[in-house]
Every structure is written in structure tokens, then in C-alpha cells.
């Protein structure tokens, strides 16, 4: 048995200026949200069953929300364009999860939440050789909000490698970041 319900929404406001001399500006405000509910049941042959016929049952609820402001400015001086931008976000998530199994009718669950306020910059340089050819270099950073892992039922224990060091898998994980460097050319051949 498997059921997976997900709801996503996003709202965005974009303000962009018309080029004034050598400067262009763009400001973007966004507020995406996501809600996910997952239900998973698994029959094990020869095992006692829960009332719905499954021997193992997992139910997860999670909410992931972000509010962000992104701004970018492009300044052109002759054949060179300088780009500077950044995104300031406020992210948060919460989760509730529980498992139930026929071997141990008591439920085992976990709840948690986390917040973070990452800033992710973007810097770039473009050199326009002519109207049809351009060289560019870009540096940017990315960010992904943390999340939750489903708990392992107590009777299942933990994996062999974790048991050797007396650790169990984490119930949640933190955010991660990435740095990106890009060099390239954009050309119109025809």
C-alpha cells in the first residue's frame, strides 16, 4: 500500500527596470510553499498484520516554506557587462512522522522543525566580442533547506554499520550549500 499527496504553491512579484544608460535592475519577491503527506504500508508474509492488513505502516507529514527576495543589477561599460545579484531567504520546515508495526503495536514517531536565513550571491562578467558572440564567467551559490528522515521502528534496530559504533540514523538533516563556477561562450552561428 502506498499513498503520496503533495501540494505546491508559489507566488512571485517581479519588478524590472527599463535600461537606463548602462544600468538594468531586477527585483524579485517569491514565496513558494510545499506540503507532503506520505503513507506507506508493507505486508510481510507470515507476519502478524495491523487492522488494515499491513505488517508495517509509516506516515509522514511535512511542510517546507520559503520567503525570498532576489535582486540583480547589470552594468554595461563598452563591451563588458558586470552582473551582481543575491537572494536573501527565510526558510523553515516542520515534520511529524510515525510508524506502527504488528510486531510492536505501540507507535514510534518523531517531530521536528528548523529555520535558516541563507544569502546566496551571484556574480558575473560578460564580454561582448560582437553582437553575435559573447564570452562569460559566472560565480553563484545555491542553498537547499534541510528535512527529515523516517524513523526506523525499534524492533528493526539500526543497520549493521551503525550498530557497530552505537549510532542510529539521524531523524533530521540540516541544510546544504553549493558553489558554482561557470566559464563559457554564447555564439550565434547563423
Amino acid at each position: 500500500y502506498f499513498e503520496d499527496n503533495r501540494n505546491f504553491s508559489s507566488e512571485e512579484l517581479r519588478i524590472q527596470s527599463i535600461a537606463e544608460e548602462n544600468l538594468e535592475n531586477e527585483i524579485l519577491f517569491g514565496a513558494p510553499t510545499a506540503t507532503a503527506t506520505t503513507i506507506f504500508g508493507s505486508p510481510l508474509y507470515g507476519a502478524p498484520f495491523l487492522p488494515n492488513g499491513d505488517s508495517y505502516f509509516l506516515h509522514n507529514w511535512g511542510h517546507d516554506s520559503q520567503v525570498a527576495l532576489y535582486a540583480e543589477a547589470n552594468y554595461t561599460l563598452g563591451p563588458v557587462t558586470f552582473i551582481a545579484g543575491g537572494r536573501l531567504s527565510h526558510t523553515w520546515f516542520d515534520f511529524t512522522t510515525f510508524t506502527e508495526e504488528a510486531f510492536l503495536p505501540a507507535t514510534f514517531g518523531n517531530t521536528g522543525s528548523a529555520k535558516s536565513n541563507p544569502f546566496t550571491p551571484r556574480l558575473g562578467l560578460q564580454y561582448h566580442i560582437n553582437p553575435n558572440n559573447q564570452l562569460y564567467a559566472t560565480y553563484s551559490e545555491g542553498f537547499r533547506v534541510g528535512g527529515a528522515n523516517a524513523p526506523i521502528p525499534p524492533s528493526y534496530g539500526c543497520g549493521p554499520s551503525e550498530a557497530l559504533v552505537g549510532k542510529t540514523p539521524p531523524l533530521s538533516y540540516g541544510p546544504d550549500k553549493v558553489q558554482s563556477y561557470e566559464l563559457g561562450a554564447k555564439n550565434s552561428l547563423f
Side-chain angles (χ1 to χ4, degrees):
Y1 173 79
F2 182 75
E3 181 181 325
D4 192 9
N5 300 311
R6 296 174 189 264
N7 298 309
F8 300 96
S9 67
S10 181
E11 298 165 15
E12 185 176 289
L13 172 65
R14 181 181 301 254
I15 301 170
Q16 186 170 3
S17 71
I18 298 172
E20 297 177 23
E21 290 285 319
N22 303 339
L23 183 64
E24 291 182 31
N25 298 308
E26 180 178 49
I27 297 175
L28 176 66
F29 176 77
T33 62
T35 301
T37 302
T38 304
I39 302 172
F40 174 76
S42 173
L44 296 176
Y45 297 104
F49 295 109
L50 294 170
N52 67 352
D54 291 331
S55 59
Y56 172 79
F57 181 78
L58 169 66
H59 199 142
N60 292 320
W61 295 273
H63 304 93
D64 175 2
S65 298
Q66 300 180 30
V67 176
L69 178 64
Y70 178 80
E72 181 176 296
N74 299 340
Y75 182 74
T76 302
L77 187 60
V80 178
T81 300
F82 302 93
I83 303 166
R87 175 185 165 109
L88 180 60
S89 304
H90 176 68
T91 65
W92 62 97
F93 78 91
D94 63 74
F95 66 92
T96 301
T97 183
F98 73 86
T99 61
E100 187 174 359
E101 54 187 326
F103 310 110
L104 293 172
T107 58
F108 172 70
N110 184 39
T111 62
S113 64
K115 295 179 182 180
S116 52
N117 298 298
F119 174 74
T120 51
R122 180 175 184 263
L123 300 171
L125 182 65
Q126 299 173 344
Y127 178 71
H128 303 271
I129 299 168
N130 58 44
N132 295 322
N133 298 293
Q134 166 190 312
L135 300 174
Y136 69 92
T138 305
Y139 168 78
S140 61
E141 292 182 7
F143 175 85
R144 183 173 54 180
V145 69
N149 293 318
I152 297 175
S155 67
Y156 286 27
C158 55
S161 60
E162 289 86 7
L164 291 175
V165 294
K167 293 185 176 182
T168 57
L171 294 174
S172 64
Y173 54 90
D176 55 3
K177 291 181 97 172
V178 66
Q179 294 179 331
S180 173
Y181 301 89
E182 187 176 354
L183 294 173
K186 295 181 182 179
N187 309 94
S188 178
L189 302 177
F190 302 103

